[in-house]
């Protein structure tokens, strides 16, 4: 444990700052020596705190941080990178939302930014990175060329690791990153043979929540609109819904969309053609549920009086829909922030937890099990979040 040469005081930090440390008052650029004098510790101790070395006494860390604020010292990022061998950036890699070959990278990027889910991911990542002084680099990887570019960028040290968001069940990029030894965290479970840290949701449990709510309302003629069959999260949501209905002795008509509003509209039209008197619909995301609502209104069906509708995600589309959607909340922002924690702990040599930790909504309460952040060698960590039913106007 580094104890430095003293803890320093607010008063001493302020005195040094007034004497000569702050550039605007004394004409000079504040240095590590100015911070060291203000905190009453050695220059080496200041360097350790500024560079994020973790075995420094907490009281000394606080004294140094106060001195940094008082003197106005700004660390030199290039010099710090030489010490820490880290870039101070992480790559946020998005792939699998569509074929970049059909519309080019610009159209692919536009689809990403229009999807409420990815906006929430970015918000959670920024929230997690900002306090650590680390910056995100957004990269797209929907083609083989893109994946090679991402891998080259990371292995050359352009970023310290990757936060990977992909909807493809057989996306090769997670395996490529793991094989190259690049620190990476995946949003969703990786394939069994890919040893990466990841966060995910209990998707099957979320589908079951939707089913039980519709059944409790007295709905008996039920339908589900799933997303693409090759996306594990979609399959799990649909399976959880169908299993819960079957356990109650009911049956479900199934349609398939593509996680877009248009896909929800198309699937709903097909389902109504098969069974016009449907009285309960569950869609595997909010955009498809919103599309289903549009078609139901076109057919003169009142929501929720004639047909109850439930979505999934609790995205901005749920609140914007009319009526406002009842939905299964996926705490995307919290999940993205947890990805950041896992990655930065991995980069700085602190591994996460092997096994499952549950978090409900924005709360930090965990299921019984190992504490988060417990060292477990190089084994991958997994954090599994719990879904929550948000009841609004549509069901």
């Amino acid at each position: 444990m580094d104890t430095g040469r003293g803890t320093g005081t607010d008063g001493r930090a302020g005195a040094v700052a007034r004497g000569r440390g702050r550039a605007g008052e004394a004409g000079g650029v504040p240095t590590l020596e100015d911070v060291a004098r203000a905190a009453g510790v050695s220059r080496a101790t200041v360097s350790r705190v500024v560079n994020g070395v973790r075995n420094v006494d907490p009281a000394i860390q606080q004294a140094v941080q106060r001195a940094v604020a008082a003197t106005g010292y700004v660390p030199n990022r290039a010099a710090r990178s030489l010490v820490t061998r880290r870039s101070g950036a992480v790559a946020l890699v998005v792939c699998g939302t569509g074929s970049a070959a059909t519309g080019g990278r610009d159209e692919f990027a536009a689809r990403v930014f229009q999807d409420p889910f990815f906006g929430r991911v970015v918000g959670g990542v920024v929230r997690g990175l900002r306090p650590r002084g680390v910056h995100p680099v957004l990269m797209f990887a929907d083609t083989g060329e893109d994946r090679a570019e991402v891998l080259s960028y990371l292995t050359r040290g352009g970023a310290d690791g990757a936060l990977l968001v992909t909807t493809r069940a057989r996306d090769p990029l997670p395996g490529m990153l793991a094989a190259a030894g690049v620190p990476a965290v995946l949003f969703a479970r990786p394939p069994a043979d890919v040893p990466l840290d990841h966060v995910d949701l209990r998707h099957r449990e979320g589908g079951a929540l939707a089913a039980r709510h519709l059944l409790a309302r007295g709905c008996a003629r039920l339908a589900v609109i799933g997303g693409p069959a090759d996306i594990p999260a979609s399959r799990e949501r649909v399976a959880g819904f169908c299993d819960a209905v079957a356990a109650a002795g009911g049956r479900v008509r199934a349609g398939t969309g593509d996680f877009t509003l248009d896909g929800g509209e198309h699937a709903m039209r097909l389902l109504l053609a098969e069974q016009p008197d449907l009285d309960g619909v569950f869609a595997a995301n909010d955009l498809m549920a919103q599309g289903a609502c549009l078609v139901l209104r076109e057919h003169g069906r009142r929501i929720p009086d004639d047909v109850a509708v439930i979505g999934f995600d609790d995205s901005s589309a749920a609140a914007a829909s009319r009526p406002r959607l009842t939905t299964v909340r996926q705490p995307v922002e919290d999940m993205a922030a947890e990805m950041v924690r896992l990655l930065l702990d991995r980069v700085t040599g602190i591994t996460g937890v092997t096994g499952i930790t549950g978090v409900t909504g924005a709360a930090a309460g965990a299921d019984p099990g190992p504490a988060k952040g417990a060292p477990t060698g190089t084994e991958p960590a997994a954090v599994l979040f719990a879904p929550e039913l948000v009841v609004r106007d549509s069901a």
Side-chain angles (χ1 to χ4, degrees):
M1 180 75 72
D2 189 340
T3 58
R5 292 200 321 237
T7 60
T9 65
D10 289 331
R12 182 168 184 178
V16 174
R18 289 189 295 272
R20 58 173 299 231
R22 193 173 293 276
E25 296 176 11
V29 176
T31 66
L32 281 178
E33 287 78 6
D34 295 327
V35 178
R37 277 189 290 271
V41 299
S42 70
R43 183 184 188 281
T45 297
V46 173
S47 178
R48 292 167 69 82
V49 173
V50 169
N51 290 318
V53 177
R54 291 177 175 267
N55 61 339
V56 181
D57 183 275
I60 293 178
Q61 289 187 43
Q62 293 174 10
V64 171
Q65 290 163 359
R66 288 195 297 267
V68 167
T71 60
Y73 174 74
V74 178
N76 183 303
R77 184 170 294 277
R80 184 164 64 179
S81 295
L82 290 174
V83 174
T84 64
R85 297 186 179 182
R86 297 199 295 271
S87 69
V90 299
L92 174 56
V93 185
V94 178
C95 45
T97 61
S99 173
T102 61
R105 289 187 180 182
D106 290 344
E107 183 174 321
F108 174 52
R111 284 198 296 270
V112 169
F113 290 120
Q114 289 168 3
D115 190 320
F117 169 80
F118 290 103
R120 295 175 66 194
V121 170
V122 172
V125 166
V126 171
R127 187 184 78 189
L129 289 176
R130 184 182 291 120
R132 308 286 287 268
V134 180
H135 301 280
V137 177
L138 182 62
M139 305 186 76
F140 299 116
D142 218 41
T143 68
E145 180 183 355
D146 292 340
R147 288 189 286 272
E149 183 179 320
V150 168
L151 188 63
S152 174
Y153 180 79
L154 290 166
T155 54
R156 286 187 285 105
D160 299 321
L163 303 167
L164 181 57
V165 183
T166 177
T167 59
R168 289 181 170 173
R170 291 178 292 277
D171 192 330
L173 187 56
M176 294 166 65
L177 295 175
V182 174
V185 181
L186 185 62
F187 195 111
R189 290 185 184 87
D193 59 342
V194 177
L196 286 185
D197 298 339
H198 70 276
V199 303
D200 204 355
L201 186 79
R202 297 192 185 100
H203 297 283
R204 185 178 291 259
E205 182 179 317
L209 285 174
R212 287 194 286 268
H213 185 72
L214 291 175
L215 292 169
R217 286 181 57 91
C219 299
R221 298 174 297 281
L222 300 173
V224 61
I225 301 175
D230 64 342
I231 297 179
S234 175
R235 294 199 306 269
E236 289 290 301
R237 294 171 190 180
V238 171
F241 182 83
C242 292
D243 288 348
V245 173
R251 298 180 63 183
V252 179
R253 287 191 177 272
T256 302
D258 59 0
F259 281 157
T260 67
L261 186 143
D262 289 343
E265 290 187 63
H266 179 69
M268 192 71 255
R269 287 194 175 92
L270 293 178
L271 288 167
L272 285 175
E274 294 176 6
Q275 186 167 353
D277 63 344
L278 289 171
D279 61 1
V281 177
F282 167 57
N285 82 336
D286 291 335
L287 283 175
M288 293 193 299
Q290 190 177 27
C293 288
L294 293 175
V295 172
L296 288 167
R297 284 200 297 271
E298 287 176 4
H299 284 71
R301 308 299 302 281
R302 297 172 300 167
I303 304 169
D305 296 336
D306 300 328
V307 187
V309 179
I310 297 180
F312 203 109
D313 283 335
D314 195 23
S315 66
S316 57
S321 181
R322 291 296 178 268
R324 298 182 309 148
L325 281 175
T326 292
T327 186
V328 178
R329 176 168 174 76
Q330 179 174 207
V332 174
E333 295 86 352
D334 296 328
M335 296 168 73
E338 180 65 11
M339 290 175 71
V340 169
R341 185 193 73 84
L342 289 172
L343 180 63
L344 295 186
D345 283 355
R346 181 69 70 179
V347 167
T348 56
I350 298 179
T351 57
V353 176
T354 299
I356 302 299
T357 300
V359 182
T360 302
D367 289 343
K372 289 198 294 183
T376 56
T378 59
E379 297 179 13
V383 180
L384 192 60
F385 285 71
E388 177 186 2
L389 183 70
V390 180
V391 179
R392 295 194 180 96
D393 306 326
S394 68

